[in-house]
Amino acid sequence: PGSMTAVGAYEALYNSLTAFINPGDEVVLIEPHFDSYSVVVEVCGGKPVFVPLRPGDNPSDGNNWALDKAEFEAAFSDKTKICMVNTPHNPIGKLFTEEEMEFIARTCEKHNALIISDEVYERCVFPGEEHVRIANIPGAWDRTITIGSAGKSFSMTGYKLGWAVGPAELINRVQAMHQTVVYSAPTITQDVVARCIEREVELKGKEEAYYTQLPKVMQEGSEILSEAARDAGLPFVKPYGGYFMMLDTTPLGLEFDTTEEMYDVQCSKYLMEHHKLATIPLSPFFNLNKNLSDKYVRLCFAKSTDTLKAGGDIIRELKK
C-alpha cells in the first residue's frame, strides 16, 4: 500500500486528478458533487461526464437518492479514465451501500477506469450507520485512491492536512504531482495530526475516543436543525453522515427573477440579508442537472449547540 499527506484533502484530490488526466480523457462525476471536481478535470483538458443521484419516490431520505444503473453505465466510454465517488455524500448526507459500491466498482472494472473515492466525512457517519469503502470491494483496491481529511476527522479544518491512500503504483504518481505543486505539507501539522491518530488508536472503541464522540455530536446537530425545519413546515433531506442537510424552501413562497441568477442563489442572499441565516445554494453542486437542486439550500450542522439553536429559532420564524 502507498500513502501520502497533502495540504488538505483538496490538494490530495487535485493531485490525484492531475496525475492521471490527459487532454481528452473523460471523468465520470456523480451529481451533486463538490464544486472543484469538474473545475480540476477541465483544467487538465479532461471532459467531465455527469450522472445524477435521483431522489426517487422519497426525496426526504438522503439514502433514497440513488444512481440509475443504466444511466450510470451509459456515462462510460473507451475514453473514461476516472470515476469520482463521494461518501458520506456532500451535500446530500447519503451513505452509499455495499451493493451500490459493488455496482460502481464492477462498472469501473469493466471499462478499466480508476476510482477516486472522496471519504473526507468518514468519521462523521451517524451512530448505527455503516461507512462502506469502495477500496474494500473485492477487486477494487488496485484501481482506487481513497482521500481523507484530518480537518474533517478531528474538527480542525484550519490545519489543512489531508491524505491519499491506495496501491503504491498509483500513489507514487500522485506524490510526484504533489512534489511539483506544494512540495510538502508542514511538518508541525503532520506531527499534531499523527499524535491525534495515535491517541485514537489507543482509545479505539472506548467512549472517550474522539471517533466515538464526533458521530454523536454531528447527529445531535442535524437533529436540532431537523426539528426546527419540521416545526416550520419545511421539507428537508435526512442525512446519515457528514456536515450538511438540504432544506427545501418551496413552502416559503419566495419569488425571484431568475433571468440572470438562479433561485437558490438569490434565496441564500435573501435569507442572509433579511433573516441573518447563512445557507449555501445547491445549484453550484450541479452542472447538467441543476433542475434537481430545485429550491434547496444547504445547512451546516457542524456548529456549536448555541449557534444551531439560534439558527433553528430563525428557521421556525421563516413561516410566520
Side-chain angles (χ1 to χ4, degrees), residues 61-222:
D61 188 311
N63 282 347
N64 202 52
W65 291 62
L67 292 168
D68 178 288
K69 290 186 176 181
E71 192 174 21
F72 182 73
E73 289 189 279
F76 286 75
S77 73
D78 58 1
K79 295 181 180 180
T80 304
K81 176 66 71 70
I82 296 170
C83 175
M84 292 283 303
V85 181
N86 173 217
T87 186
H89 189 273
N90 171 20
I92 295 175
K94 169 188 174 65
L95 302 177
F96 282 79
T97 65
E98 186 169 356
E99 179 183 357
E100 290 175 307
M101 289 302 203
E102 286 178 350
F103 166 68
I104 294 172
R106 296 290 81 80
T107 304
C108 291
E109 182 179 23
K110 178 181 176 181
H111 294 276
N112 195 29
L114 298 174
I115 301 168
I116 298 178
S117 187
D118 180 352
E119 301 180 22
V120 298
Y121 297 103
E122 62 184 300
R123 299 299 176 182
C124 301
V125 174
F126 295 170
E129 305 298 334
E130 181 184 9
H131 174 58
V132 179
R133 297 183 187 279
I134 196 167
N136 287 342
I137 300 298
W141 165 262
D142 289 341
R143 65 180 64 253
T144 303
I145 297 170
T146 302
I147 306 297
S149 165
K152 302 301 191 299
S153 295
F154 293 106
S155 305
M156 49 199 292
T157 52
Y159 274 60
K160 294 302 294 177
L161 191 76
W163 52 79
V165 178
E169 57 268 29
L170 297 184
I171 298 301
N172 287 344
R173 292 271 298 272
V174 181
Q175 203 159 21
M177 185 59 65
H178 166 73
Q179 183 174 338
T180 65
V181 174
V182 297
Y183 191 75
S184 68
T187 304
I188 189 170
T189 306
Q190 295 187 63
D191 184 53
V192 170
V193 173
R195 295 186 188 195
C196 291
I197 293 173
E198 288 170 351
R199 179 181 184 276
E200 290 307 297
V201 171
E202 293 174 1
L203 298 177
K204 184 177 181 180
K206 296 182 179 179
E207 189 64 23
E208 61 267 35
Y210 193 71
Y211 288 171
T212 302
Q213 295 299 318
L214 183 59
K216 296 177 182 178
V217 172
M218 292 298 103
Q219 184 179 48
E220 290 167 1
S222 75

Side-chain angles (χ1 to χ4, degrees), residues 9 13 19 41 139 178 246 283 309 320:
L13 284 165
V41 171
H178 166 73
M246 290 164 53
S283 55
K309 287 182 176 179
K320 293 183 179 179

